Amino acid sequence: MIHILNQENSILNKFLAQMRDKNIQLDSMRFRRNMERVAEIMAYEISKTLNYETRMVETPLGVAAVECISDKIVVATILRAGLPFHQGFLNYFDDAENGFVSAYRKSRPDGSFIVDVEYVSTSALTGKTLILVDPMLATGTSLMLVYDALIRRAGEPEHTHLVAAFASEQGVDYVKRHTSPAKCTLWCAAVDEELTSKSYIVPGIGDAGDLAYGEKL
């Protein structure tokens, strides 16, 4: 199942527009905060699909029955671009466990590249709900390699939510071909049509990591 949130009008579109705007992008603090706010909205939407149980909460005047999330959640992200996106999810799922993966592109002489997963640090995943967040879903290769690496290291989640702020149609199709609808749900704030020869999303936003933290060497 796939959810594309900007297909319905909401305040989300304001934040997406500012993240795309090449002039507003010059303010890295605003870019990070907008990425965080997009994540907060997506976390809220995902929360509607989770499992809940009734808990009795004592107030100063009595006892209230409250429906609370019963899933054990692990929020995982890909360094470094994923950090502000990850923080937005932690703002809402503040008692979640966490996972971090270092993955990067290795260029080949012909201009193509492979994705190398270098480091994985995560809580156990078996029987839990994994929310794997990455701001950009371009080809889909990185996300699927990281997903497989997390499962190999930490076990099979009960269900996985794969989350991207900006995705390409090609990346969405790749994820759909390589996951089971019974085990994974894909969430995108926006889906764009094209990829460049260097696998940048068009119109997209550019390099999310560079916009958030400065150009890398």
Side-chain angles (χ1 to χ4, degrees):
M1 182 178 293
I2 176 171
H3 300 270
I4 303 174
L5 299 189
N6 75 337
Q7 290 182 343
E8 296 183 3
N9 290 332
S10 76
I11 191 64
L12 172 74
N13 289 341
K14 173 185 177 180
F15 306 142
L16 296 177
Q18 290 184 357
M19 291 168 68
R20 290 188 191 271
D21 190 305
K22 66 180 184 180
N23 296 312
I24 297 176
Q25 285 181 349
L26 298 175
D27 184 346
S28 59
M29 184 173 67
R30 179 182 287 271
F31 182 85
R32 291 193 301 271
R33 181 61 184 124
N34 280 332
M35 185 67 79
E36 193 175 331
R37 292 195 287 189
V38 168
E40 289 170 347
I41 292 170
M42 299 186 80
Y44 173 75
E45 293 297 328
I46 290 172
S47 75
K48 298 176 184 179
T49 71
L50 301 178
N51 296 305
Y52 286 74
E53 62 184 12
T54 304
R55 296 182 185 174
M56 306 307 295
V57 178
E58 187 174 352
T59 79
L61 300 176
V63 177
V66 183
E67 296 299 315
C68 296
I69 294 171
S70 59
D71 297 52
K72 294 182 178 179
I73 297 171
V74 179
V75 180
T77 196
I78 304 172
L79 302 173
R80 70 177 168 152
L83 289 174
F85 201 44
H86 180 265
Q87 184 59 51
F89 279 87
L90 279 186
N91 291 346
Y92 279 23
F93 300 120
D94 52 3
D95 54 355
E97 298 175 328
N98 291 269
F100 298 93
V101 180
S102 174
Y104 66 99
R105 294 179 178 183
K106 279 186 176 179
S107 298
R108 291 169 167 165
D110 63 0
S112 64
F113 63 88
I114 60 172
V115 177
D116 186 21
V117 177
E118 191 173 60
Y119 172 79
V120 178
S121 175
T122 182
S123 303
L125 297 177
T126 302
K128 299 178 182 178
T129 297
L130 172 62
I131 303 177
L132 176 54
V133 306
D134 188 14
M136 309 300 291
L137 173 60
T139 65
T141 305
S142 298
L143 190 64
M144 288 295 91
L145 285 174
V146 168
Y147 172 64
D148 291 340
L150 285 166
I151 289 175
R152 286 196 306 272
R153 183 174 181 85
E156 184 83 26
E158 183 70 24
H159 193 81
T160 299
H161 297 274
L162 303 169
V163 189
F166 295 91
S168 72
E169 290 182 352
Q170 179 181 327
V172 168
D173 290 341
Y174 186 89
V175 170
K176 288 168 66 177
R177 291 196 307 270
H178 290 83
T179 57
S180 164
K183 293 185 176 181
C184 293
T185 303
L186 178 60
W187 299 79
C188 303
V191 177
D192 293 343
E193 294 181 359
E194 298 180 40
L195 280 179
T196 69
S197 59
K198 293 185 177 181
S199 296
Y200 281 96
I201 300 169
V202 179
I205 59 173
D207 189 298
D210 288 356
L211 291 169
Y213 299 112
E215 292 187 12
K216 55 187 174 292
L217 294 175

